[in-house]
Amino acid sequence: MNDLTITLRQDAGRHLYEQIYDYIKSEIRKGKLRVGERLPSTRSLADFLQVSRSTVELAYEQLLSEGYIEAKPCRGYFVCQVEELFDLKGGEPETEALTETGAEAGASINVHTGTGEETPPCICDFSPNTIDMTAFPYATWKKITKNILVGANSEMFTYGSPKGDPVLRGTIARYLHTSRGVNCSPEQIIIGAGNDYLLMLLEKVLGRHVAIAMENPTYKRAYRIFESFAYRILPVAMDSSGMSVGELRKSGAEVAYVMPSHQYPMGVVMPIGRRMELLKWAGEKETRYLIEDDYDSEFRFKGKPVPSLQASDRLGKVIYIGTFSKSIAPAIRIGYMVLPVPLLKVYEEKCSFYSTTVSGIDQKILNEFIEKGHFERHLNRMRKIYRDKHDLLLGELKTMERQFKVLGANAGLHLLLQDERGRSEEMLVRQAAEAGVKVYGLSEFCMEDIPSYWNGNMVILGYASLSREQIREGTGLLKRAWK
Amino acid sequence: MNDLTITLRQDAGRHLYEQIYDYIKSEIRKGKLRVGERLPSTRSLADFLQVSRSTVELAYEQLLSEGYIEAKPCRGYFVCQVEELFDLKGGEPETEALTETGAEAGASINVHTGTGEETPPCICDFSPNTIDMTAFPYATWKKITKNILVGANSEMFTYGSPKGDPVLRGTIARYLHTSRGVNCSPEQIIIGAGNDYLLMLLEKVLGRHVAIAMENPTYKRAYRIFESFAYRILPVAMDSSGMSVGELRKSGAEVAYVMPSHQYPMGVVMPIGRRMELLKWAGEKETRYLIEDDYDSEFRFKGKPVPSLQASDRLGKVIYIGTFSKSIAPAIRIGYMVLPVPLLKVYEEKCSFYSTTVSGIDQKILNEFIEKGHFERHLNRMRKIYRDKHDLLLGELKTMERQFKVLGANAGLHLLLQDERGRSEEMLVRQAAEAGVKVYGLSEFCMEDIPSYWNGNMVILGYASLSREQIREGTGLLKRAWK
């Protein structure tokens, strides 16, 4: 822990976050911030500098993305080893110049960290964005990779089909049909390096000036991506069945982004009636489409398996998007998009010349992993692991059932707690943090203000990467904190 | 070879290319076109159906991208094994319906292939779009992959930094500095799954409504990508030093796309004077930028190494784009973009939330390949191999030197022949084809009509993937054909 003297100038022609970023980066480079040292929390630095917390977060995010610092769950931000990050001459003249002039003219603020203002160390982080990688079949993956490479030839190292390896597309089509009821031919599948990329491709297919409806709250990453397309985003109210079709009609949207199998973050599983209403809405106009993000459909713990929305689509209105990030591993960067036939034609005309974004070898490895049954075995194993954690968490929360209602508990890797004693989300998050537990307020997932229909009294608990012991300890701490 | 009876309807509500595509696909599915069978050439099918050749090409491209047919260099299009491409129920109702109604109302045309109309078999294909993969160090690549996976842990399988692995970015920064004189810090580097993707990202950084200057002729893939962004593309005349800065000024462009190390396809190496003029142009306005595509800079055979344009850039005006597709292998799908500092800030604000498109494991493999010196050894080996082929080709062409001027011969993997007897490109291509040799007319790389300053009398010969015997045989045939 150390003092951070950051000189901030409102008129420097540089954003405040850049000035914070520049300062910390320079301190790390000069060795004044040493490897392993903990940075002040974003909250305490923001308080000291009298800037908004998001300003500090932006600076930290940039430092994170550049490898200067790392985030340790529940513990904070730490300075990394930066030998690899030496600066080449002429790199950033502007930055250097500004740091100098800034030092002359600005006002100094002394930031003392490590004071009593710090929140206590976080013991348990109920992040909804993690997966459990401990049970990943590393040995199998290695073996498949080795076997694929034994047969490596020049053909495998050349450009592949823009839509992805036809063999893998066939395999994915079969998998989606069997496990999700998706009706498509392999021709309709486009393989891409993650869903963000596939959405960028979809922008080219749907065009600009799209008015897109999203449930509120929703998946914030998709929101930010649509925002970066300058799409007109229309937050649409949801009820216990998901997006309200009445509100959707009023919104004037042409495209609606939904997660019918398990809405993120509300956990709503859309019943068949609402699905039919949505499909009817889409069918009424040629330009209307539904984007179905089936992000964690593999993990359902209670009740009959729910097929995808695409499975009920008779008119070619559903754009189905899925990923192996949750079911295999985030790092493999392979997702897929199923285009309805009318949009496939647009894709062929407008986008078919874009080179594939996934390496041919990686596609072969994944194909083998699915085809030889390893994927199914892995999913079964993970379903059991997640169900055990899920049931343990639900059981531990049972003693709090007079205080909280549990929502979205039958599927997916997170659930929601709704306070029944009138406490606000903010209070719940703060009380938990004071006890060393990180839970997530629903407002983080909302587009504007938190919609009144959710009362502002909910928190989200993810459990995928926690051990059974951590779940027990975390819920124990929460019980005392929220008593 | 067989008869293709294709029913085409102008009023079917479907493009002609779709109808051709549907018909051939259906014939393959029904087994009427058998595996290994050769399809008619695009030219002969277009002649028979009385449609434009690009219509047939579009249909073939789609069949290619979907794996129904494959293209064998110089030999034509062949039907593929399609077991993997079974159709799931409900796949393409529209297609089926139209095929039926189309059959009732349309006029039948019998296409006989295998007649005397065929061009003779192609013996030698001087394609400028290939690389030699025979000398790729497969064993080394396999070994590195194996070693990386031995140390595989869950961290390696999680999301990486959006800009790419900081360690690999450091390695690339050092490599670019040493080999190309590029001045940048690793923070300025963004790693992405190929140049097409990086250009999509750049669109988000530069914004819409960009007026972009391109040399005419240029790299057609980049042209199509900018076209798909709805950028205003301004073809700018070039001379023997590359893009004319006078014409660039007149064009009103804000951004210019150039290939100073070895213009594609003209092979021009931009001299320092012209580079300075370009940089001066860019420096005059804050919104002006230069995109430097350094696509095959590794291969230079004569004269001093030419540093990149970015190396001379003192004002942060050059966006430098490179790839490992030519220097390692197309299939690895790793490229990089170096953003000048002002644009880096825009990237951080607008795009830093896009997930990386390259797998963490692949990044580690590549880093090891470069760091341990394998990349340099591979490049040296390839330089020698390509230089030998290059010199052989030049030597063989020497006997034709009274007929042709050779252009762009000191670098890169292709060169140009300019006819000095007034024969047109079309005639040269046709005469070569009749002798079984494929050469490429310059007009294929031009944006509109072929600019008058190139006279329409040039052909392009690529040699990267040809063996020494093929080069000898091919040039021998050309000599007789063009006598």
Side-chain angles (χ1 to χ4, degrees):
Chain A
M1 220 59 80
N2 67 80
D3 296 354
L4 288 186
T5 308
I6 304 188
T7 306
L8 293 179
R9 287 181 63 198
Q10 287 289 0
D11 60 342
R14 289 169 72 73
H15 296 293
L16 294 174
Y17 88 88
E18 291 176 310
Q19 300 182 43
I20 299 170
Y21 156 84
D22 284 341
Y23 178 84
I24 298 177
K25 186 173 77 172
S26 143
E27 290 292 287
I28 294 174
R29 283 183 172 173
K30 292 180 200 149
K32 294 193 181 169
L33 280 169
R34 279 180 303 273
V35 177
E37 219 165 318
R38 183 145 82 96
L39 292 182
S41 71
T42 55
R43 187 196 304 256
S44 74
L45 187 55
D47 284 352
F48 275 107
L49 294 178
Q50 296 292 300
V51 296
S52 81
R53 196 163 161 199
S54 67
T55 299
V56 179
E57 281 171 351
L58 211 52
Y60 278 26
E61 259 179 44
Q62 191 163 339
L63 290 163
L64 268 176
S65 81
E66 294 175 2
Y68 283 104
I69 62 173
E70 62 179 330
K72 294 188 182 171
C74 296
R75 296 188 48 215
Y77 297 96
F78 294 81
V79 176
C80 292
Q81 188 74 31
V82 286
E83 290 175 329
E84 302 287 352
L85 296 163
F86 71 99
D87 193 25
L88 289 165
K89 73 174 168 67
E92 293 173 334
E94 202 190 332
T95 309
E96 304 304 327
L98 266 157
T99 309
E100 281 165 33
T101 55
E104 287 175 313
S108 280
I109 297 167
N110 243 311
V111 177
H112 299 270
T113 63
T115 67
E117 302 245 354
E118 287 293 291
T119 40
C122 172
I123 297 157
C124 181
D125 185 351
F126 282 101
S127 166
N129 282 320
T130 58
I131 67 165
D132 185 346
M133 283 298 295
T134 56
F136 184 76
Y138 295 102
T140 305
W141 195 266
K142 285 176 208 177
K143 205 171 146 194
I144 292 173
T145 306
K146 205 181 138 197
N147 288 343
I148 295 283
L149 282 174
V150 163
N153 52 37
S154 59
E155 187 244 320
M156 264 170 59
F157 282 85
T158 55
Y159 287 110
S161 160
K163 286 160 119 184
D165 186 340
V167 177
L168 178 58
R169 282 191 276 131
T171 301
I172 291 175
R174 279 192 298 277
Y175 164 70
L176 289 179
H177 187 62
T178 316
S179 73
R180 309 290 308 125
V182 169
N183 290 311
C184 72
S185 66
E187 288 86 338
Q188 288 171 264
I189 294 180
I190 295 154
I191 294 169
N195 284 5
D196 297 2
Y197 169 73
L198 289 168
L199 289 177
M200 284 169 92
L201 212 52
L202 189 59
E203 183 200 7
K204 305 285 172 225
V205 174
L206 292 176
R208 294 170 179 180
H209 314 300
V210 170
I212 190 164
M214 300 186 89
E215 290 147 319
N216 193 13
T218 189
Y219 179 44
K220 261 302 188 56
R221 175 179 286 280
Y223 174 82
R224 290 178 79 179
I225 288 170
F226 293 136
E227 199 182 37
S228 80
F229 297 166
Y231 275 11
R232 195 151 62 91
I233 301 176
L234 305 160
V236 168
M238 61 187 300
D239 55 29
S240 58
S241 299
M243 183 177 275
S244 153
V245 178
E247 295 293 319
L248 173 62
R249 281 183 193 286
K250 280 187 216 153
S251 75
E254 297 149 64
V255 176
Y257 171 89
V258 287
M259 294 163 275
S261 304
H262 188 236
Q263 206 269 348
Y264 192 84
M266 296 309 297
V268 171
V269 179
M270 192 182 283
I272 186 74
R274 181 63 54 89
R275 290 170 188 236
M276 288 300 152
E277 276 184 77
L278 268 182
L279 288 167
K280 186 168 173 296
W281 169 84
E284 285 164 9
K285 265 195 178 171
E286 206 184 321
T287 50
R288 284 185 182 164
Y289 285 100
L290 297 162
I291 301 174
E292 174 176 25
D293 187 347
D294 211 22
Y295 69 103
D296 75 351
S297 57
E298 290 84 2
F299 305 115
R300 180 161 180 83
F301 310 119
K302 262 207 180 109
K304 279 193 298 186
V306 183
S308 66
L309 178 64
Q310 203 269 6
S312 309
D313 176 25
R314 297 277 161 254
L315 298 168
K317 284 296 179 182
V318 175
I319 300 152
Y320 178 91
I321 291 185
T323 173
F324 293 103
S325 292
K326 291 235 170 216
S327 55
I328 297 184
I332 70 162
R333 311 308 305 130
I334 307 183
Y336 44 86
M337 173 161 74
V338 181
L339 287 179
V341 174
L343 290 182
L344 185 62
K345 303 296 171 197
V346 181
Y347 166 87
E348 297 290 351
E349 274 168 43
K350 289 195 186 168
C351 308
S352 59
F353 58 88
Y354 284 115
S355 310
T356 180
T357 45
V358 187
S359 114
I361 292 161
D362 291 351
Q363 294 189 62
K364 282 201 193 310
I365 295 168
L366 176 60
N367 187 68
E368 190 84 357
F369 190 73
I370 302 173
E371 273 287 274
K372 291 283 155 70
H374 302 296
F375 183 48
E376 205 183 326
R377 277 194 288 280
H378 176 58
L379 279 183
N380 288 336
R381 199 183 310 118
M382 293 316 299
R383 251 182 232 118
K384 164 97 176 65
I385 290 172
Y386 288 140
R387 184 186 290 115
D388 286 352
K389 293 184 182 184
H390 168 269
D391 292 352
L392 174 67
L393 178 60
L394 269 187
E396 295 290 325
L397 293 174
K398 220 167 171 60
T399 55
M400 288 199 271
E401 67 188 359
R402 272 185 300 180
Q403 292 183 60
F404 292 99
K405 207 160 100 185
V406 175
L407 298 169
N410 293 339
L413 305 177
H414 70 274
L415 44 77
L416 287 96
L417 292 182
Q418 179 165 37
D419 188 86
E420 304 211 294
R421 294 187 180 180
R423 281 176 295 187
S424 71
E425 159 194 316
E426 198 193 343
M427 179 183 263
L428 295 170
V429 170
R430 185 168 40 76
Q431 288 176 336
E434 282 163 6
V437 183
K438 191 157 184 185
V439 297
Y440 294 78
L442 189 65
S443 61
E444 290 187 31
F445 303 84
C446 292
M447 280 180 269
E448 294 152 359
D449 293 332
I450 184 161
S452 56
Y453 50 89
W454 293 121
N455 295 321
N457 60 353
M458 285 191 215
V459 291
I460 293 169
L461 276 67
Y463 57 83
S465 64
L466 298 178
S467 67
R468 294 180 62 86
E469 292 62 41
Q470 286 171 318
I471 291 173
R472 274 200 206 92
E473 190 180 4
T475 46
L477 291 166
L478 282 180
K479 275 176 221 172
R480 283 193 289 282
W482 288 340
K483 206 159 45 188
Chain B
M1 221 57 85
N2 68 82
D3 297 356
L4 290 185
T5 307
I6 305 188
T7 307
L8 294 178
R9 287 180 64 199
Q10 288 288 0
D11 60 341
R14 288 171 72 72
H15 296 293
L16 293 174
Y17 89 87
E18 292 176 309
Q19 299 181 44
I20 298 170
Y21 157 83
D22 286 340
Y23 178 84
I24 297 178
K25 186 171 77 171
S26 142
E27 291 292 287
I28 294 174
R29 283 182 171 173
K30 291 180 200 152
K32 293 191 182 170
L33 281 168
R34 280 179 304 272
V35 177
E37 219 165 316
R38 182 146 85 94
L39 291 181
S41 72
T42 54
R43 186 196 302 256
S44 75
L45 187 54
D47 284 351
F48 275 106
L49 295 177
Q50 296 292 300
V51 296
S52 80
R53 196 165 159 196
S54 67
T55 299
V56 179
E57 280 171 353
L58 210 54
Y60 277 27
E61 261 180 41
Q62 191 163 339
L63 291 163
L64 268 174
S65 81
E66 294 175 3
Y68 283 104
I69 62 173
E70 62 180 329
K72 295 189 184 171
C74 296
R75 296 188 48 216
Y77 297 97
F78 293 81
V79 176
C80 292
Q81 189 73 32
V82 287
E83 287 176 333
E84 302 287 353
L85 295 163
F86 71 99
D87 192 26
L88 290 164
K89 73 174 167 67
E92 293 174 334
E94 201 189 336
T95 309
E96 305 303 327
L98 265 159
T99 309
E100 281 165 34
T101 55
E104 285 175 315
S108 283
I109 299 166
N110 245 308
V111 177
H112 300 269
T113 65
T115 66
E117 304 244 353
E118 287 294 291
T119 40
C122 171
I123 296 156
C124 181
D125 185 349
F126 283 100
S127 167
N129 282 319
T130 58
I131 66 166
D132 186 344
M133 283 297 295
T134 55
F136 184 76
Y138 295 102
T140 306
W141 195 266
K142 285 177 207 177
K143 206 173 147 193
I144 292 173
T145 306
K146 205 181 138 196
N147 288 344
I148 295 282
L149 282 174
V150 162
N153 52 36
S154 59
E155 188 243 320
M156 264 170 58
F157 281 86
T158 55
Y159 286 111
S161 160
K163 285 159 122 184
D165 186 340
V167 177
L168 178 58
R169 281 190 278 130
T171 302
I172 292 174
R174 279 192 297 278
Y175 164 69
L176 289 180
H177 187 62
T178 316
S179 74
R180 307 292 307 125
V182 169
N183 290 312
C184 72
S185 66
E187 289 85 339
Q188 288 170 266
I189 294 181
I190 295 154
I191 294 168
N195 286 5
D196 296 2
Y197 169 73
L198 289 169
L199 289 177
M200 284 168 92
L201 213 52
L202 188 59
E203 184 201 6
K204 305 288 173 221
V205 174
L206 292 176
R208 294 169 180 182
H209 315 298
V210 171
I212 190 164
M214 301 185 88
E215 290 147 319
N216 193 15
T218 190
Y219 180 44
K220 261 303 189 54
R221 174 179 288 280
Y223 174 82
R224 289 179 79 179
I225 287 170
F226 294 136
E227 198 182 38
S228 80
F229 297 166
Y231 276 11
R232 197 151 62 90
I233 302 175
L234 305 160
V236 168
M238 62 188 297
D239 55 29
S240 59
S241 299
M243 183 178 274
S244 153
V245 178
E247 295 293 318
L248 173 62
R249 283 185 191 285
K250 280 188 215 154
S251 75
E254 298 149 63
V255 177
Y257 172 90
V258 288
M259 294 162 276
S261 304
H262 188 235
Q263 205 268 351
Y264 192 85
M266 295 310 296
V268 171
V269 179
M270 192 183 283
I272 187 72
R274 183 63 55 88
R275 289 171 188 234
M276 288 302 150
E277 276 185 76
L278 267 182
L279 288 167
K280 184 167 176 295
W281 169 84
E284 285 164 12
K285 265 195 178 173
E286 207 186 322
T287 48
R288 284 185 183 164
Y289 286 99
L290 296 162
I291 302 174
E292 174 176 25
D293 188 347
D294 211 22
Y295 69 104
D296 75 351
S297 57
E298 291 83 2
F299 306 115
R300 179 159 181 83
F301 310 119
K302 262 210 180 107
K304 276 195 298 187
V306 183
S308 66
L309 177 65
Q310 204 270 3
S312 309
D313 177 25
R314 297 279 161 252
L315 298 168
K317 284 297 179 180
V318 174
I319 300 153
Y320 178 90
I321 292 185
T323 174
F324 293 102
S325 292
K326 291 235 171 215
S327 55
I328 297 185
I332 71 163
R333 310 308 305 132
I334 306 184
Y336 45 85
M337 173 162 73
V338 182
L339 287 179
V341 175
L343 291 182
L344 185 63
K345 303 297 172 197
V346 182
Y347 167 85
E348 296 291 353
E349 274 167 44
K350 289 195 185 168
C351 309
S352 60
F353 57 88
Y354 284 115
S355 310
T356 179
T357 44
V358 186
S359 120
I361 293 161
D362 291 351
Q363 293 188 62
K364 281 199 194 310
I365 294 169
L366 177 60
N367 187 67
E368 191 83 358
F369 189 73
I370 303 173
E371 272 290 273
K372 292 283 155 71
H374 302 296
F375 183 49
E376 205 184 324
R377 275 193 290 280
H378 175 58
L379 280 182
N380 287 337
R381 199 181 311 119
M382 292 316 299
R383 249 181 234 121
K384 164 95 175 67
I385 291 172
Y386 288 139
R387 183 185 293 115
D388 287 351
K389 291 184 183 185
H390 168 267
D391 292 350
L392 175 67
L393 178 59
L394 269 186
E396 295 290 323
L397 293 174
K398 219 163 170 61
T399 55
M400 289 198 271
E401 68 188 0
R402 269 185 301 179
Q403 291 183 61
F404 292 99
K405 205 161 101 186
V406 176
L407 298 169
N410 294 339
L413 306 177
H414 71 273
L415 45 78
L416 289 95
L417 293 181
Q418 180 166 35
D419 187 85
E420 306 209 292
R421 294 188 181 179
R423 281 175 297 186
S424 70
E425 159 196 317
E426 198 193 343
M427 180 183 262
L428 295 170
V429 171
R430 186 167 40 77
Q431 287 177 337
E434 282 164 6
V437 183
K438 191 157 185 186
V439 298
Y440 294 78
L442 189 65
S443 60
E444 289 187 32
F445 303 84
C446 292
M447 281 181 267
E448 295 153 359
D449 291 332
I450 184 161
S452 56
Y453 49 90
W454 294 122
N455 294 321
N457 60 352
M458 285 191 215
V459 292
I460 293 168
L461 274 69
Y463 56 82
S465 64
L466 297 178
S467 68
R468 294 179 62 85
E469 291 63 40
Q470 285 172 318
I471 291 173
R472 273 199 207 93
E473 191 181 3
T475 46
L477 290 166
L478 283 178
K479 275 174 222 173
R480 281 191 291 280
W482 288 339
K483 203 160 46 186

